[in-house]
């Protein structure tokens, strides 16, 4: 009896030691991952410029090699694409009556590709999105709205539209422009931009889906946060955690219409919806179809309507008058806005040779510099992100070497 009791105590002590060692191993592993992540985050151009540029170049070469191998494995698709490209090139350069249709299709294709690309940049961004709605699509819709109310028409001469907006020569009556006419004028570019944002939401979905199917744990902060949220779902107290959990429950339980609801409103947590769909193996077309409808049709019309109403003629005049009502600084702030609006009216009516106040370019100059700063920051973020990806490769290689020892 005593020997049996001693054996039980020894087994119990052994189990406690194993459990303690396991907890220690888990904690040390998580601590090491945290240190490695902090080390990667320090690899940025303004802290380690030479290392960052070196890692960026090496990561670029590795990506080019991987893409070349993937293309080689899909040789049949590549050959078919090159043949189609050759046929289109021949059609483009051969003279004939078809050239008018070729020119029309060329113009529409590049116009659509431009906005789709901006939409993708807005939602992907390799870690930080370029806010192309605020920088490009929003100002474009605002310009068309202001011009439509000034010209009482949306039949702008093409060319120079869309590069430059000029009022048509036809006689129009005051107040003949409608809200629906402006919406229809900018519908194509707005929907293409929305489709681009939908395409940009695919990486989180594919990442989570691949991790679930392979059983691997990608070192992605959003995916790790998602797994921690699933583990502590019942004890979530703060508003942010409850909001993320609500998005996850909506997508998981409602399916297509839950994804559609999340995609149809401005939602900074939509990346979580993509991760949720990938993690729970939601079919691709269910996820992408709902995302495309929500972002390219429903959400885009909501945003477009908001911009058009905000920049309608009477609203703009009221905003400018309210700026002038600000005590002390109101008149000085109001003057550049009035000069800018007057300069735009002159341009719309072909009176560009008329004397224009020198302060007309103040607002446009500020906006141009803002766009340049945002684009430069976006490029820097891409360089930093790719350099950190190469640092992650080195750390994973070190892990694998330690395991084999």
């Amino acid at each position: 009896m005593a020997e049996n009791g001693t054996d039980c105590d020894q087994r119990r002590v052994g189990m406690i030691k194993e459990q303690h060692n396991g907890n220690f191993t888990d904690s040390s592993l998580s601590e090491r991952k945290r240190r490695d992540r902090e080390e990667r985050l320090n690899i940025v151009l303004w802290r380690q410029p030479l290392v960052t540029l070196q890692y960026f170049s090496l990561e670029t070469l590795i990506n080019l090699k991987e893409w070349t191998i993937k293309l080689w494995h899909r040789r049949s698709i590549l050959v078919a694409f090159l043949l189609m490209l050759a046929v289109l090139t021949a059609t483009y350069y051969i003279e004939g009556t078809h050239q008018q249709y070729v020119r029309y299709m060329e113009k529409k294709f590049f116009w659509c590709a431009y906005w789709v690309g901006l939409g993708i940049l807005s939602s992907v961004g390799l870690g930080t999105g370029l806010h192309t709605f605020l920088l490009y699509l929003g100002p474009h819709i605002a310009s068309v709205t202001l011009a439509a109310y000034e010209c009482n028409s949306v039949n702008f001469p093409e060319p120079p539209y869309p590069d430059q907006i000029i009022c048509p020569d036809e006689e129009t009556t005051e107040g003949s422009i409608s809200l629906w006419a402006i919406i229809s004028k900018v519908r194509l570019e707005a929907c293409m931009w929305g489709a681009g944002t939908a395409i940009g939401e695919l990486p989180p979905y594919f990442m989570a889906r691949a991790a679930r199917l392979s059983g691997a744990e990608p070192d992605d902060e959003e995916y790790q946060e998602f797994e921690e949220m699933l583990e502590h779902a019942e004890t979530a107290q703060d508003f942010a955690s409850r909001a993320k959990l609500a998005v996850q429950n909506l997508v998981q339980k409602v399916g297509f219409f839950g994804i559609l609801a999340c995609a149809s409103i401005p939602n900074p947590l939509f990346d979580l919806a993509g991760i949720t769909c990938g993690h729970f193996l939601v079919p691709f077309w269910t996820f992408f179809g709902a995302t495309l409808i929500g972002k390219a049709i429903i959400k885009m019309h909501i945003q477009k309507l908001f911009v058009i109403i905000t920049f309608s003629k009477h609203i703009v005049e009221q905003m400018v008058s309210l700026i002038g009502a600000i005590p002390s600084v109101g008149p000085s702030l109001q003057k550049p806005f009035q000069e800018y609006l007057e300069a735009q009216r002159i341009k719309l009516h072909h009176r560009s040779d008329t004397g224009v106040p020198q302060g007309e370019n103040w607002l446009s100059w500020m906006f141009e510099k803002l766009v340049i700063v945002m684009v430069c920051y976006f490029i820097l973020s891409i360089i930093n992100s790719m350099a950190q990806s190469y640092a992650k490769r080195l750390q994973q290689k070190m892990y694998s070497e330690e395991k084999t020892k």
Side-chain angles (χ1 to χ4, degrees), residues 320-340:
V320 172
S321 62
L322 287 174
I323 291 174
I326 299 175
S328 303
V329 297
S332 59
L333 289 176
Q334 186 185 43
K335 185 178 179 181
F337 285 96
Q338 290 176 333
E339 292 177 348
Y340 177 78

Side-chain angles (χ1 to χ4, degrees), residues 121-321:
L121 289 176
S122 180
S123 55
V124 176
L126 295 176
T128 175
L130 180 66
H131 302 290
T132 52
F133 182 85
L134 295 177
L135 296 178
Y136 295 98
L137 183 59
H140 172 71
I141 297 174
S143 299
V144 171
T145 303
L146 292 172
Y149 280 104
E150 179 63 27
C151 304
N152 293 307
S153 173
V154 292
N155 298 321
F156 310 126
E158 299 185 32
Y161 181 83
D163 297 326
Q164 183 184 0
I165 304 176
I166 296 177
C167 288
D169 295 329
E170 60 188 29
E171 293 293 331
T172 55
T173 57
E174 183 74 23
S176 60
I177 192 66
S178 66
L179 184 66
W180 182 253
I182 303 174
I183 291 175
S184 301
K185 186 67 176 178
V186 296
R187 179 178 290 118
L188 178 63
E189 46 266 47
C191 290
M192 290 298 104
W193 184 88
T197 61
I199 295 171
E201 298 293 351
L202 293 179
Y205 169 82
F206 285 124
M207 179 269 298
R209 184 181 179 86
R212 179 66 183 273
L213 291 174
S214 64
E217 294 185 3
D219 190 13
D220 183 86
E221 293 183 4
E222 289 185 346
Y223 188 76
Q224 290 180 353
E225 184 181 352
F226 170 75
E227 289 192 326
E228 291 176 1
M229 184 190 69
L230 292 181
E231 293 176 1
H232 306 94
E234 297 180 358
T235 59
Q237 297 294 332
D238 58 297
F239 175 78
S241 298
R242 289 200 302 268
K244 293 177 181 178
L245 191 61
V247 171
Q248 185 258 328
N249 290 331
L250 180 66
V251 171
Q252 183 183 358
K253 294 179 180 179
V254 184
F256 178 89
F257 292 101
I259 303 169
L260 183 65
C262 291
S264 299
I265 57 175
N267 184 5
L269 302 177
F270 191 79
D271 279 351
L272 187 64
I275 294 175
T276 302
C277 292
H279 181 79
F280 291 105
L281 303 180
V282 173
F284 170 77
W285 287 111
T286 300
F287 169 72
F288 185 65
T291 304
L292 185 64
I293 294 172
K295 285 184 171 291
I297 300 177
I298 301 175
K299 178 185 174 183
M300 202 59 256
H301 275 80
I302 295 173
Q303 291 178 296
K304 183 168 54 175
L305 191 63
F306 173 78
V307 174
I308 292 173
I309 293 174
T310 302
F311 285 90
S312 59
K313 187 176 181 179
H314 63 285
I315 296 292
V316 171
E317 291 175 349
Q318 288 179 2
M319 287 192 295
V320 172
S321 62

